[in-house]
Amino acid sequence: MFFPPMYQFEHLKMGLKALDYESINENMKKVQYAVRGELYLRASELAKEGKKIIFTNVGNPHALGQKPLTFPRQVIALCQAPFLLDDPNVGQLFPPDAIARAKHYLSMIGGGLGAYSDSRGNPGVRKEVAEFIERRDGYPSDPELIYLTDGASKGVMQILNTIIRGEGDGILVPVPQYPLYSATIALFGGSLVPYYLNESSNWGLDVNDLRQSVAQARSQGISVRAMVIINPGNPTGQCLSEANLREVLNFCFQENLALLGDEVYQQNIYQDERPFISSKKVLMDMGPPISKELQLISFHTVSKGYWGECGQRGGYFEMTNIPPQTVDEIYKIASISLSPNVPAQVFMGLMVNPPKPGDASYEQYHHESKGILDSLRRRARIMTDGFNSCKNVVCNFTEGAMYSFPQIQLPPKAIEIAKEAGKEADVFYCLKLLEATGISTVPGSGFGQKEGVFHLRTTILPAEEEMPAIMASFKKFNDEFMEQYA
């Protein structure tokens, strides 16, 4: 019989229980997630008190009034309630292509939406995703190397959990970055290796900076194993050019790094100079040996784009040049959760395989989709111009994604008062903004920024008709704040 050493009973003598704060996993305490942090919690309190709050802290389109697209909701309604298909009046309530697609998915999903699927996701839906990728990139995609997930975030966590072995393993992450990456790396006990985006060149990426970041990390004994790119950028909204992507891929190849391509905003493009181009397409265009050897994981979701189905939690990742044994291990860990949620898998199938010209629902689907994207393009311009009209505020144009990330040039007096209050200066500014206007944002310190430089992130998602009033309210607050602390 095994008797553990007495020190293992020390927590009993101290009276600590397993879930007492002093004895929980220390990695949890390192996690910071500003998008739902202090500002969000204060905004929620004010909302409970009856104050009108404009929650621009998170990319959540439907919460800010965007209407769901009709066609996918019709198909899901029929899949969720398949008895409707037997109703003699079903053809009066639903278009024929929605009925056909619902029957298509129900025929693929044994037991309907209430049953578990394969741990990788339904094979038929994965095939639709692979066909979407082939149409997009012009290269084959293997459904067996596509895993459906509960949102892109869960996919990112699965892959980082696979890569990170301990605190000696580093992940190159852009700064400013989406805090999913810093939080997950901390939770899994790895090390975040920052590379700074250049604000003066519209948040461009410089390979020389990447080399410096890797060299510095290695000098500290960190083994840099992978690099993250977010394209289009969050929170910065930039779109990477094909030339820039080639530089990144060559860099990863030279440094023996896996590349994680966060491409969840690929449908959200608000300019014509730099259309979205996927990392996989550029990699395949480059040809051997790099196209056969560089390890690439690409992520997408139904939450972003013009669908905005955040609450459905549907996503996927595609693996390129990953050894079969590693794929098997990823499958094994995915199997612990048995199945990604099945309704979201149907949403994913519908997103990658929407109505086509000639289908009964095509005109409505096209009209709704174009209306949302055209409005987002206008809102990106309204918000950028609005920020740049404010005193001590400078903002690059939002080329893609769904955020603005203006730099707020705070007066020394405001920085000093914030310090005395024990707060980051941009947190102080954002709290004042929230109290005065009801606009809930995220301070730039939650994403990372250079020392002495301050930002905030806001979505461009408020209703277009409300945007001028929101920006006028921001300008009034900001200019009065700058005068008060001048």
Side-chain angles (χ1 to χ4, degrees), residues 130-150:
E131 289 168 350
F132 157 77
I133 294 170
E134 288 180 20
R135 289 193 304 272
R136 185 193 67 189
D137 296 341
Y139 293 98
S141 176
D142 184 353
E144 295 301 304
L145 298 176
I146 293 167
Y147 280 34
L148 305 180
T149 56
D150 293 339

Side-chain angles (χ1 to χ4, degrees), residues 364-376:
Q364 182 180 19
Y365 177 83
H366 176 71
H367 175 75
E368 291 175 350
S369 302
K370 186 175 186 301
I372 293 168
L373 285 169
D374 287 351
S375 177
L376 285 169

Side-chain angles (χ1 to χ4, degrees), residues 412-486:
K413 182 180 177 183
I415 296 171
E416 185 59 34
I417 291 174
K419 187 177 180 181
E420 291 171 2
K423 295 189 181 301
E424 296 279 354
D426 51 7
V427 174
F428 176 77
Y429 176 91
C430 290
L431 282 169
K432 291 287 188 183
L433 171 67
L434 173 64
E435 301 281 353
T437 67
I439 300 172
S440 175
T441 59
V442 187
S445 50
F447 301 93
Q449 54 196 353
K450 292 183 177 178
E451 186 72 28
V453 181
F454 305 103
H455 299 84
L456 64 81
R457 190 195 77 167
T458 175
T459 71
I460 62 169
L461 296 174
E464 186 176 348
E465 61 271 18
E466 296 176 9
M467 193 72 81
I470 291 171
M471 296 314 297
S473 175
F474 178 88
K475 179 177 174 61
K476 181 177 184 294
F477 160 79
N478 175 82
D479 293 357
E480 289 175 355
F481 180 96
M482 296 301 170
E483 189 173 324
Q484 177 183 354
Y485 293 99

Side-chain angles (χ1 to χ4, degrees), residues 36 92 120 130 150 211 225 238 259 323 340 390 409 413:
R36 289 285 175 92
Q92 298 176 27
R120 295 164 293 186
D150 293 339
R211 292 196 179 95
R225 289 170 56 79
Q238 86 286 2
L259 180 63
C390 297
Q409 297 165 350
K413 182 180 177 183

Side-chain angles (χ1 to χ4, degrees), residues 21 67 79 155 174 181 218 262 291 336 369 451:
Y21 181 77
K67 292 181 179 178
C79 289
Y181 292 96
R218 287 174 177 162
D262 182 333
S291 63
I336 294 172
S369 302
E451 186 72 28

